[in-house]
Amino acid sequence: LITVMFRKHWTEIIFGLVLLLIIFVPHTADLGRFQGHDELMRNRQSLDSFRALIDGRWGDIYSSNFGGTNLTWAQTGYRLYHFLRLRLLGENVTLATMANYGSDFNPLPGAIFSALLLVILYPFLRKLFGWPTAALATVILALDPYLLSEARILRTEAAYATFITLSSVTLALYARTHQRRYLIWTGFWAAWAIATKISGVILGPIIFVILLVMAWERRRTPATTSQK
């Protein structure tokens, strides 16, 4: 059975592996050539978030500055990883000393985060368009100079644009299938877009209007059919 499945889908399996390379290699190779203003700000925010985490101030883990919450958490997660790695290597470090260690900035967590969003996007595109179109669209997004440059210097725009795309694609899937799970996904990705950049609140009224139009069309279609 496994052999038959592999023979049937071998092209898609191989291209899926190639797709992962196309996504991750440009995002993660040769990082850290320079730091932008946003990167320095994310570093400060992740330090504040990390200190709130080890102090038990759970409400302060959320970024108090504008946007970029998920990127700040990605950097905070890197600090935790860095702490565990040093402890496993026998270094005498504590969470308190890590909270005062402000020079361990690494753009890799943010770059991996943005790359993973494209990996998550692919199956939704595949459901909507089929795998060849989905793969082509994902490759174009992965190699898009704007998204790539924004992801590599840890700005919010790359993740923000991808979250909006995820919300739009899942809304299109809901319009096609009327399955409630896709509507839940739409709201989930829209919420992450807002957490990434506050201007994402515009998604709320846009989605609401689209849902109203869909409901109106659904009521109108049976009436039109019966008149004919």
Side-chain angles (χ1 to χ4, degrees), residues 53-99:
L53 177 66
I54 64 175
D55 291 342
R57 294 180 285 111
W58 309 112
D60 293 335
I61 295 175
Y62 185 87
S63 172
S64 60
N65 219 323
F66 72 93
T69 300
N70 42 44
L71 297 179
T72 299
W73 285 351
Q75 187 66 19
T76 302
Y78 169 75
R79 291 182 188 280
L80 285 173
Y81 156 77
H82 193 47
F83 166 75
L84 293 174
R85 184 177 66 85
L86 290 175
R87 288 302 296 265
L88 289 174
L89 291 174
E91 296 287 339
N92 186 21
V93 295
T94 64
L95 287 173
T97 57
M98 285 297 297

Side-chain angles (χ1 to χ4, degrees), residues 163-183:
F163 279 128
I164 291 177
T165 305
L166 279 162
S167 185
S168 303
V169 169
T170 49
L171 183 59
L173 283 168
Y174 174 71
R176 174 181 291 182
T177 65
H178 301 295
Q179 294 182 16
R180 190 169 297 177
R181 59 175 175 160
Y182 290 122
L183 185 59

